[in-house]
Amino acid sequence: MGEKREQAMGLLKRMLAPEMAAELGKGPTGPSFAGQIGEMAMNNIFEPLWTDDTLDTRTRSLVTVSILIALRAYEELEIHFPAAIRNGATVAELEQVIYQASGYAGFPAAHSARNVAIAALGRAGMLG
């Protein structure tokens, strides 16, 4: 395993819920249909982007959440809301990202993201 891969794997293990990190450590699992997607994510997203130290992981998480809200990528938001907290973002900052997104990505996208955040952060024990 190369240095960038090791760095990306370490980052993912810190970002993800413990059970997700454990699954990640097992390598590819599940159906073989489009089975290369995880490797593509590692090669094209996590290794080159998340390991670059130009932006810290907190900032990258806030940017990622913003983009996912705009894309209405709710399944990915379920992972990235708690990951953002693990990367140093606060609940108040995530709230502000949702509010900001309402003006630029639309109220329906922001409202749906709010519902995803409540569920995901609640399951992770990250809401007060």
Side-chain angles (χ1 to χ4, degrees):
M1 186 179 322
E3 182 181 336
K4 283 282 191 187
R5 177 58 61 107
E6 287 180 25
Q7 197 177 356
M9 292 296 287
L11 177 66
L12 283 169
K13 287 178 181 175
R14 286 191 314 273
M15 286 174 57
L16 300 176
E19 61 276 6
M20 290 181 78
E23 284 298 311
L24 179 68
K26 293 179 185 177
T29 59
S32 61
F33 178 78
Q36 300 278 332
I37 199 78
E39 188 64 20
M40 291 171 72
M42 288 299 292
N43 291 334
N44 298 300
I45 300 168
F46 291 103
E47 284 184 34
L49 300 176
W50 283 88
T51 62
D52 184 297
D53 63 1
T54 306
L55 294 176
D56 59 47
T57 55
R58 178 190 152 281
T59 303
R60 284 192 193 280
S61 279
L62 292 172
V63 169
T64 300
V65 166
S66 300
I67 293 167
L68 293 175
I69 292 170
L71 292 173
R72 293 169 167 79
Y74 304 122
E75 187 174 331
E76 288 81 8
L77 279 170
E78 287 192 29
I79 296 166
H80 280 278
F81 275 123
I85 299 291
R86 290 184 190 97
N87 283 336
T90 66
V91 170
E93 288 172 325
L94 291 173
E95 287 176 315
Q96 288 301 313
V97 167
I98 290 170
Y99 296 150
Q100 187 78 9
S102 72
Y104 289 90
F107 186 83
H111 185 266
S112 294
R114 174 187 178 266
N115 291 338
V116 171
I118 290 169
L121 296 175
R123 275 192 301 278
M126 296 174 169
L127 286 180

